[in-house]
Amino acid sequence: MVRLEFTIDLDYELAAAADFVFAIAAAKTPVQRVTDENLQFSRPVASRWFGDPQLGTRLLRVRAGPGALHVAYAGCVDIRHHLCEPSTLRECAIDDIPDDVLQFLAASRYCQSDRLVEFAHTEFGGVEPGYSRVEAIRHWVRDYVRFSPGASTTATTALDTLADRRGVCRDFAHLMIALCRAVNVPARIVTGIDYGADPQLGPCDFHAYVEAWLGDRWFLFDPTDISPVEGLVRIGTGRDAADVAFATIFGAVRTFAPKIGVKALEDAGRGVRLPSRTQLAVSATGPAAPESRGTSGNHEPVLPWLLHSPPQGIRPQG
């Protein structure tokens, strides 16, 4: 088990009353248990929680009047990862993919997988299906895209990153997700906090990474290779960044860079260890519920726009 503590401090200056939707709280899942947390505001505001119980994402709605606003969240989580031998993980046939996972095969706002089918099958169609192919996509994105803070914007998509070959963690994640979906591997984005990054990369910040569906559960992949996947705290889970922005703001608001801290705790006597890099496949979710799995012949046909069949007559690019 891994135990991680983290803090998030956000500062804003409101010219008039404004509304916020924050994704800053640790997700509550069967695998990630929130053992302690605290939320504070610098002044009285109207706030309430809502979220997606299935994904564990918890969102905070806030309405505040004009003036300075400081939001401080602190949390501690225990994460029990599932580890397995990568060679045992296979891709699912379409009719074996659980119903609630199908949405993560479809193209989305930032991950235009439908426009990358030919490219993806040219690059990765010959790789052994399963964990090996997803890992090949991760390595390709890591080597192809240069980490360059400030090189992209909130409008940058996977296609933009493919053309520009530079970006930040969310751009790496979007491109990997789009390529996975293009070869019919369900993939989704996760946002959170990462422990174990090289301090030379700068102050700790929010981080985006990838989950791909293999076998009967989601497995973690970080195309930036910034930190060990065991050192990732889950906050938001969605199709792409449009679903999991840490702050969505409605109003005239001046924003400042977030201040984030994270540390790992160790307690060998209770089986709590530090996150480490491993050659095993790492999952931070449980297996699919039996009733959520697809059953051939018992459901309506899968919508065609969800499928990315290998195109015919592809020739290798020179």
Side-chain angles (χ1 to χ4, degrees):
M1 182 174 68
V2 169
R3 179 170 296 160
L4 299 168
E5 287 184 344
F6 68 100
T7 59
I8 298 173
D9 287 275
L10 306 174
D11 286 285
Y12 301 98
E13 187 67 40
L14 287 62
D19 293 277
F20 301 80
V21 179
F22 291 112
I24 57 174
K28 290 184 176 180
T29 75
V31 176
Q32 178 173 283
R33 186 168 66 95
V34 181
T35 61
D36 191 26
E37 62 182 347
N38 182 264
L39 173 68
Q40 294 183 342
F41 300 98
S42 58
R43 56 188 173 90
V45 298
S47 66
R48 67 179 178 88
W49 293 97
F50 73 106
D52 185 333
Q54 183 178 14
L55 296 176
T57 304
R58 296 185 294 151
L59 302 174
L60 175 66
R61 293 188 64 168
V62 174
R63 180 165 179 79
L69 176 64
H70 179 78
V71 182
Y73 175 87
C76 181
V77 297
D78 286 346
I79 309 173
R80 296 186 179 274
H81 296 98
H82 172 78
L83 306 178
C84 70
E85 174 57 44
S87 62
T88 65
L89 297 177
R90 298 288 182 261
E91 295 174 15
C92 287
I94 296 298
D95 64 345
D96 286 332
I97 296 174
D99 298 339
D100 58 351
V101 175
L102 273 179
Q103 63 175 309
F104 300 108
L105 270 183
S108 58
R109 175 179 173 183
Y110 292 108
C111 303
Q112 308 100 314
S113 51
D114 54 335
R115 296 179 60 185
L116 289 172
V117 175
E118 183 171 342
F119 178 85
H121 281 279
T122 299
E123 292 288 337
F124 310 108
V127 181
E128 181 182 0
Y131 188 92
S132 296
R133 177 148 62 180
V134 177
E135 184 69 352
I137 293 172
R138 185 188 75 84
H139 275 272
W140 187 92
V141 173
R142 182 198 64 186
D143 296 339
Y144 181 84
V145 182
R146 177 168 61 89
F147 193 84
S148 180
S152 60
T153 70
T154 55
T156 300
T157 69
L159 291 179
D160 297 324
T161 302
L162 183 63
D164 297 340
R165 302 188 62 167
R166 57 180 185 165
V168 294
C169 58
R170 67 171 245 159
D171 305 310
F172 281 69
H174 284 155
L175 182 54
M176 180 177 173
I177 290 166
L179 291 171
C180 285
R181 293 177 184 171
V183 294
N184 286 338
V185 175
R188 64 189 187 184
I189 195 170
V190 185
T191 55
I193 309 297
D194 62 307
Y195 168 84
D198 187 341
Q200 293 185 1
L201 294 174
C204 185
D205 201 349
F206 289 102
H207 191 50
Y209 51 101
V210 175
E211 284 186 316
W213 182 266
L214 296 167
D216 66 349
R217 69 184 72 208
W218 294 99
F219 284 86
L220 298 170
F221 297 87
D222 185 356
T224 67
D225 249 350
I226 283 177
S227 63
V229 292
E230 287 188 346
L232 299 171
V233 176
R234 181 186 303 270
I235 291 179
T237 307
R239 294 164 300 173
D240 57 32
D243 292 341
V244 292
F246 80 86
T248 303
I249 303 171
F250 304 88
V253 177
R254 182 185 178 191
T255 63
F256 300 87
K259 297 177 182 178
I260 297 171
V262 61
K263 64 180 180 179
L265 304 179
E266 187 175 19
D267 187 344
R270 298 186 178 182
V272 179
R273 58 181 179 81
L274 297 179
S276 62
R277 294 186 182 272
T278 176
Q279 297 301 312
L280 297 175
V282 180
S283 172
T285 67
E291 63 271 15
S292 74
R293 299 194 66 81
T295 304
S296 180
N298 293 333
H299 294 277
E300 293 295 322
V302 176
L303 295 177
W305 54 266
L306 285 174
L307 305 181
H308 300 306
S309 301
Q312 302 298 314
I314 293 180
R315 288 180 292 181
Q317 296 178 342

